[in-house]
Amino acid sequence: RGYPIDDRIAYTKIERYNKMENNTQFKITYYSNKDKKHITRQGKWTDQCRYWTSKAGNKLMTYFDMDAQGYRTAKGSWKVRL
């Protein structure tokens, strides 16, 4: 409606994964601003994971990183493979 088309597409993709159940394992790939490259990690969905929007309007996904054994947040765009 009043949003750019890419925002609507991003929300559509989020809605698809919004129904993930606890203990679902997946691979997530996203661009790391810190490392300046694309990163793929093994993730797990827990009750502390969520999709959300920051105060600045950035789309975020918090997930449990099984490689680092801690929570991480992907920002912007990401790809999830079950």
Side-chain angles (χ1 to χ4, degrees), residues 3-81:
Y3 299 100
I5 191 161
D6 58 337
D7 283 347
R8 286 183 295 205
I9 291 170
Y11 278 117
T12 301
K13 289 179 182 178
I14 288 172
E15 286 300 316
R16 224 174 44 196
Y17 295 109
N18 237 354
K19 298 176 183 171
M20 289 180 75
E21 296 179 10
N22 279 347
N23 297 316
T24 300
Q25 294 185 14
F26 55 88
K27 286 186 181 181
I28 182 168
T29 302
Y30 60 94
Y31 184 78
S32 169
N33 290 327
K34 178 181 172 185
D35 300 320
K36 304 293 185 212
K37 63 181 181 179
H38 283 89
I39 293 179
T40 299
R41 299 192 183 273
Q42 296 285 352
K44 185 176 185 179
W45 196 260
T46 69
D47 57 348
Q48 295 179 20
C49 297
R50 64 184 179 137
Y51 296 100
W52 52 293
T53 303
S54 70
K55 291 180 182 179
N58 297 313
K59 289 155 191 64
L60 306 170
M61 176 184 158
T62 301
Y63 67 97
F64 184 78
D65 183 343
M66 293 175 51
D67 300 323
Q69 292 296 303
Y71 287 92
R72 304 241 183 229
T73 299
K75 175 182 163 186
S77 63
W78 54 81
K79 183 177 183 177
V80 172
R81 293 181 304 274

